[in-house]
Amino acid sequence: MNTNQKILIVGGVAGGASAAARLRRLDESANIIMFEKDEYISFANCGLPYYIGGEITDQEALTLQTPDSFKARFNVDVRNFNEVTAITPETKTVTVYNHQLQKEYQESYDKLLLSMGAKPIKPNIPGINSNKVFTLRNIPDTYAIKEYVDTHKPKHAIVVGGGFIGIEMAENLHSTGINVTIVEMANQVISPIDYEMACEVHQHLISKGINLVLETELQAINEADNKLTVTLNNQTVDTDMVIMAIGVVPETKIVKNTEIATNSRGAIIVNDKMETSIKDIYAVGDAIEIKNFVTNKASYVPLAGPANKQGRIAADNICGFDRHYQGTQGSSILKVFDLTVASSGINEKTARELNLNYDKVYTYSANHAGYYPGAVNMSIKVLFDKSTGTILGAQIVGYDGVDKRMDVLAAAIRAKMTGFDLTELELCYAPPYGSAKDPVNMAGFVIENILTDKIKQYNWDDVASLPRDGSVILLDTRTELEYANGHIDGYINIPLDSLRTRLHELNLNKPIYVTCQIGLRGYIASRILSQNGFDTYNLNGGYRLYNTIFNQEHDEPKIKTMHPACPIENPETIKINACGLQCPGPIVKLSASLETAKDGDIIEIQTTDPAFATDLDGYCRRTGNELIELSCNKGISSAKIKKGQNSISNGNKNNKNMIVFSGDLDKAIASFIIANGAAAMGRKVTMFFTFWGLNIIRRPEKVKIKKNFISKMFAMMMPRGSKKLSLSKMNMGGMGAKMIRTIMKDKNIDSLEDLIKLAQDNGVELIACSMSMDVMGIKQEELIDGVTLSGVATMLANGEESDMSLFI
């Protein structure tokens, strides 16, 4: 080990401070100088948003060390407000500018460690330098945002970027009472996880009151009259402040005039000993390019954990030890209000881009034993190598227990374990903490079934392309009640428990694509079918995953409070604990209680089933019961239902329900004439547009949105809006449609477009079938204003509340 070395460290936060402390522990004789251009060293970057939101109240808690305390403990010469501006490797010196003395000087070194970190990206757009536009990277940034919030009391803030900092800032600004909008250019937040997992986060953010705007670009910021006006995709929005959180770039300008190698984004290239391309110069942290542990490809992952480890390894090598950095796997975790999101390893986007031979499984498991109070499901996605079973990546979205499971999976990835190994892990179990079959074990069991050919699966993005012409069988094995509450278009219903006795209804020569709620019953059904000679595939993740992606209703609705029509004398309150039960367990328990309850009795039910909150309103309306209150906290839904005290039970079913399947002009006109007539009589009218009928309520102008090839082809072949519709008879290449419009005009009959507007003005509810939209490749942005999205459960509920249902 070299003694009496002079070691300079540029940057005093995660990597730099960690290296300085390790160097001193290894070499008491070394002369260690640490430069930091700002005031603070060794501060808690990850805690900064929580100080702004008030979760952390003590300013001093953010600074883990001060220059004086670091000097006292580690005998390191800490020079804050000293910025290294240049490196001269030939003379082994650096140029330093002292901001307090406004003086420049040189300092020599034996070894140099670079840990400058990264800086926030600020796009070159008008207004970006307004004092109402903030970034968050260090303590001064934090104080500036906190002071602005406390002093100016902003009512609205726009957070640009849906990554870790953006989400954390949105939550903490919201907790201060600010109305927050997140603007994200991609189609999802939190890029380390995949789109379908992010959909749960989207729903959760919206349910907490965050306005989420995806696939939208910030183009300009204008300040006038003490207000900001931001331009988003050519539309303007007023706000009081803007937080820029679109990512970071390496802070490496001091190496640009040297021969230190960097990549295209400016990150310093190092070997596994943290050495740069120039002898005696090392680099760590957010300033460097890393090797991805899973793929061995070069990457950039600015995280505090790897930075600290790299600082330690660099210090060991500076002191003569032989230490090697094995790569970064990107383990991360994020608090999103009361939701937790965690990931490690690679995501499916990366696996697909690298053309890896991979597969994936989705599982839904409770954080602890289902019979112990408070059990809540977590959504788990695990990627694995199809030939070896090696775990490549994992993502979890849930509540309590997410961190523990992801830590286990992160260790499994680091140890290059397989799905078979996950089944063998002996993890701690007691009812308050886990299950005998831990969620990690369960993921392993599913992977094992795939690797050993016990099950074949298909995925949520395969569903739309499955033929609906009778050449295959689409089978939903949930209960009749679950199926009625919502199902994928084209699927028939044979509940699992009656499947064995109904095998004769299925054609042995046709492939069967099975679904259930989460994949478990589908797996059991697939085993039954395959052992009876059927060619069977199970939907990976089941209807729950599919519905999360395509149904925009929230898994966790905001608190709803209703009021009874009239008081009931001596009502009884019946409490049900359905936590830990999978669908349809909670709804079955609720139904059983309602059967024995008296009219006016209150059923209080708690459940951790995510589908329960989504379907409860429609269930109550169909069954003639009243939903009084519905709320959700940390994945536990609490509801109060009053038995038999609403319009259905009183027999006032005079609503009108119309299902518009056709996209013909004449049928569209007829449907809206009927709807307006019923509305004029004071009736509630709902129009449910499905398949070709969706073209009636499309916007006439082209909307710029991302679609796959098949969806684009559908869009090109279908009429865009009501003015492009043709007649069902005597269309004559469009002449018939023009003639009937002319006749209507001559006879002072409202046009279809006028009828649509009149219907909306009269309170007619226009509903688009979300499942049909998915099949037809139509997005919500393509529909006219005022149209809501819903599913079959809503259509059925509306039908049961009506004395007339028309199918047009």
Side-chain angles (χ1 to χ4, degrees):
M1 181 174 67
N2 296 329
T3 59
N4 298 312
Q5 294 188 95
K6 185 176 182 181
I7 305 167
L8 305 185
I9 300 173
V10 184
V13 192
S18 177
R22 178 67 171 175
L23 284 166
R24 178 56 71 217
R25 291 194 296 269
L26 296 177
D27 186 357
E28 187 65 21
S29 68
N31 177 16
I32 306 170
I33 304 173
M34 185 165 69
F35 301 97
E36 172 54 53
K37 66 179 181 179
D38 295 319
E39 178 180 358
Y40 301 94
I41 66 163
S42 189
F43 59 85
N45 296 71
C46 300
L48 301 181
Y50 300 100
Y51 175 73
I52 294 169
E55 194 77 15
I56 298 173
T57 57
D58 185 0
Q59 287 187 5
E60 294 182 358
L62 297 174
T63 51
L64 308 178
Q65 294 280 356
T66 66
D68 290 340
S69 68
F70 210 85
K71 172 68 174 177
R73 175 160 296 183
F74 298 110
N75 192 26
V76 171
D77 181 2
V78 179
R79 302 181 186 177
N80 56 339
F81 297 113
N82 278 246
E83 180 178 3
V84 175
T85 58
I87 304 169
T88 310
E90 296 81 10
T91 59
K92 299 187 81 169
T93 60
V94 298
T95 302
V96 186
Y97 183 78
N98 186 318
H99 287 277
Q100 289 179 312
L101 300 178
Q102 297 184 354
K103 178 181 177 181
E104 188 176 84
Y105 64 98
Q106 271 71 43
E107 196 73 56
S108 63
Y109 65 84
D110 295 312
K111 297 287 171 59
L112 175 63
L113 175 65
L114 304 177
S115 181
M116 297 82 65
K119 61 181 179 180
I121 296 173
K122 292 184 71 173
N124 185 21
I125 61 173
I128 193 67
N129 294 318
S130 166
N131 60 8
K132 294 180 176 61
V133 177
F134 303 89
T135 58
L136 181 63
R137 188 65 181 171
N138 54 37
I139 288 181
D141 293 341
T142 307
Y143 291 165
I145 297 172
K146 177 73 169 171
E147 181 182 7
Y148 184 84
V149 170
D150 292 344
T151 303
H152 295 277
K153 309 293 183 185
K155 291 181 172 57
H156 183 265
I158 289 180
V159 176
V160 184
F164 290 84
I165 293 295
I167 297 293
E168 289 172 343
M169 280 304 305
E171 176 184 345
N172 282 279
L173 289 173
H174 182 272
S175 71
T176 67
I178 299 173
N179 182 15
V180 180
T181 296
I182 296 176
V183 176
E184 169 58 52
M185 187 182 293
N187 68 343
Q188 67 166 87
V189 298
I190 314 174
S191 61
I193 66 175
D194 289 309
Y195 172 75
E196 69 275 22
M197 300 296 283
C199 284
E200 289 198 41
V201 185
H202 298 165
Q203 292 177 356
H204 191 71
L205 285 167
I206 294 168
S207 76
K208 295 299 182 181
I210 300 296
N211 182 27
L212 183 61
V213 183
L214 300 173
E215 298 182 272
T216 299
E217 181 182 2
L218 173 66
Q219 296 169 322
I221 302 170
N222 180 60
E223 184 173 359
D225 299 327
N226 207 33
K227 276 280 188 180
L228 294 180
T229 300
V230 301
T231 303
L232 307 172
N233 282 11
N234 298 316
Q235 294 184 344
T236 58
V237 178
D238 292 336
T239 190
D240 299 310
M241 64 184 299
V242 173
I243 304 289
M244 296 300 303
I246 60 175
V248 297
V249 292
E251 180 72 277
T252 54
K253 63 181 180 181
I254 64 171
V255 306
K256 287 185 177 179
N257 295 323
T258 71
E259 295 182 1
I260 296 174
T262 59
N263 65 13
S264 59
R265 70 185 301 162
I268 299 170
I269 298 173
V270 297
N271 61 19
D272 61 0
K273 298 181 73 171
M274 315 315 299
E275 296 172 321
T276 70
S277 56
I278 295 183
K279 181 177 172 57
D280 295 329
I281 299 181
Y282 299 74
V284 299
D286 295 357
I288 71 167
E289 174 186 273
I290 57 91
K291 180 184 73 173
N292 185 291
F293 177 80
V294 176
T295 66
N296 286 321
K297 303 290 185 181
S299 186
Y300 181 68
V301 182
L303 292 172
N308 278 278
K309 295 176 181 65
Q310 294 157 10
R312 181 184 175 92
I313 289 171
D316 284 4
N317 287 307
I318 287 172
C319 291
F321 297 96
D322 188 24
R323 289 286 308 281
H324 301 265
Y325 186 63
Q326 300 301 317
T328 300
Q329 66 190 70
S331 298
S332 60
I333 193 164
L334 175 67
K335 176 182 179 293
V336 186
F337 291 90
D338 50 352
L339 192 72
T340 301
V341 182
S343 66
S344 186
I346 63 171
N347 56 28
E348 189 173 0
K349 294 187 288 284
T350 301
R352 194 182 299 117
E353 288 169 1
L354 296 177
N355 200 28
L356 300 183
N357 182 31
Y358 77 96
D359 206 343
K360 59 190 175 184
V361 296
Y362 303 95
T363 58
Y364 300 93
S365 301
N367 61 314
H368 60 238
Y371 57 81
Y372 188 86
V376 182
N377 276 3
M378 59 185 76
S379 307
I380 303 176
K381 178 179 182 179
V382 179
L383 277 71
F384 60 95
D385 186 284
K386 289 173 69 172
S387 57
T388 65
T390 303
I391 306 303
L392 302 174
Q395 302 161 38
I396 307 180
V397 178
Y399 298 91
D400 292 341
V402 168
D403 54 343
K404 177 167 70 171
R405 274 58 185 220
M406 185 51 70
D407 283 343
V408 172
L409 289 166
I413 294 169
R414 179 64 58 161
K416 299 186 182 298
M417 295 172 69
T418 68
F420 299 106
D421 294 324
L422 296 187
T423 70
E424 299 292 335
L425 286 179
E426 187 174 334
L427 303 173
C428 297
Y429 162 59
Y433 302 105
S435 301
K437 295 177 181 178
D438 190 84
V440 175
N441 298 135
M442 293 301 297
F445 294 147
V446 180
I447 294 171
E448 179 188 46
N449 286 335
I450 294 170
L451 293 173
T452 55
D453 297 324
K454 293 183 178 67
I455 190 73
K456 294 185 292 186
Q457 61 181 13
Y458 65 108
N459 293 300
W460 62 268
D461 48 356
D462 298 322
V463 172
S465 61
L466 293 176
R468 266 72 172 179
D469 59 1
S471 60
V472 302
I473 299 172
L474 307 179
L475 178 62
D476 190 323
T477 60
R478 297 175 300 155
T479 66
E480 293 177 358
L481 182 59
E482 291 175 276
Y483 182 83
N485 266 344
H487 58 269
I488 304 175
D489 183 70
Y491 280 68
I492 64 171
N493 180 220
I494 300 180
L496 173 63
D497 292 344
S498 60
L499 179 61
R500 288 185 178 88
T501 62
R502 297 177 62 180
L503 290 177
H504 63 278
E505 299 177 24
L506 304 174
N507 189 330
L508 195 61
N509 297 316
K510 295 181 180 180
I512 300 181
Y513 291 84
V514 179
T515 187
C516 65
Q517 186 66 18
I518 62 172
L520 177 58
R521 282 174 287 172
Y523 163 64
I524 297 171
S526 295
R527 293 299 300 155
I528 293 171
L529 291 166
S530 63
Q531 292 178 83
N532 280 277
F534 291 90
D535 182 21
T536 311
Y537 302 82
N538 187 33
L539 179 57
N540 195 4
Y543 180 76
R544 186 212 186 285
L545 176 65
Y546 185 91
N547 197 45
T548 298
I549 298 167
F550 295 107
N551 188 346
Q552 295 305 304
E553 292 182 357
H554 309 148
D555 281 346
E556 301 172 308
K558 300 175 188 177
I559 293 177
K560 297 181 180 180
T561 303
M562 298 81 171
H563 299 286
C566 57
I568 301 295
E569 292 185 4
N570 302 318
E572 183 182 352
T573 297
I574 303 167
K575 295 189 177 182
I576 304 173
N577 182 4
C579 291
L581 294 181
Q582 297 282 0
C583 185
I587 210 77
V588 169
K589 291 193 75 169
L590 174 61
S591 298
S593 294
L594 287 168
E595 285 290 329
T596 58
K598 308 185 305 292
D599 282 355
D601 284 350
I602 304 295
I603 312 294
E604 293 185 1
I605 183 169
Q606 284 193 326
T607 176
T608 52
D609 173 34
F612 181 82
T614 303
D615 291 334
L616 184 58
D617 187 41
Y619 168 81
C620 287
R621 289 192 289 126
R622 280 198 325 279
T623 55
N625 301 288
E626 182 183 5
L627 177 58
I628 298 173
E629 187 176 298
L630 174 61
S631 62
C632 188
N633 182 41
K634 298 194 74 172
I636 299 178
S637 296
S638 301
K640 290 183 180 180
I641 299 99
K642 176 175 286 188
K643 178 171 179 179
Q645 287 294 309
N646 64 11
S647 60
I648 294 181
S649 60
N650 292 331
N652 297 323
K653 303 199 307 182
N654 59 3
N655 298 339
K656 311 301 176 188
N657 185 44
M658 303 172 69
I659 300 97
V660 185
F661 177 86
S662 172
D664 296 328
L665 174 61
D666 44 336
K667 295 175 183 177
I669 293 170
S671 65
F672 275 96
I673 289 173
I674 296 169
N676 280 307
M681 296 172 64
R683 303 293 189 255
K684 178 185 175 184
V685 182
T686 56
M687 301 181 73
F688 186 82
F689 295 85
T690 183
F691 281 93
W692 310 114
L694 292 168
N695 292 312
I696 301 171
I697 52 174
R698 287 181 72 189
R699 293 181 183 274
E701 69 273 10
K702 187 174 182 180
V703 179
K704 186 178 180 182
I705 51 177
K706 295 180 181 178
K707 289 187 178 184
N708 59 34
F709 176 75
I710 294 177
S711 296
K712 287 181 180 178
M713 292 298 294
F714 258 113
M716 290 173 61
M717 293 186 290
M718 292 189 300
R720 184 182 292 118
S722 58
K723 291 185 178 180
K724 298 291 185 179
L725 301 180
S726 58
L727 290 178
S728 60
K729 304 290 185 182
M730 299 189 302
N731 188 54
M732 299 178 292
M735 287 299 297
K738 292 180 180 179
M739 290 172 61
I740 199 168
R741 284 182 177 273
T742 300
I743 292 170
M744 290 174 67
K745 183 177 180 181
D746 292 341
K747 294 183 177 293
N748 293 320
I749 300 173
D750 287 338
S751 68
L752 174 57
E753 293 70 39
D754 291 335
L755 289 169
I756 293 173
K757 184 178 185 305
L758 180 62
Q760 290 181 302
D761 292 342
N762 286 335
V764 174
E765 185 177 8
L766 307 185
I767 302 173
C769 175
S770 56
M771 300 304 175
S772 300
M773 288 174 63
D774 176 51
V775 173
M776 307 292 282
I778 296 175
K779 304 292 185 181
Q780 184 172 8
E781 295 89 336
E782 295 179 89
L783 302 180
I784 62 176
D785 293 337
V787 176
T788 59
L789 307 189
S790 196
V792 173
T794 298
M795 184 272 290
L796 292 173
N798 289 331
E800 292 184 5
E801 294 172 359
S802 302
D803 60 0
M804 181 191 79
S805 287
L806 292 179
F807 187 90
I808 300 175

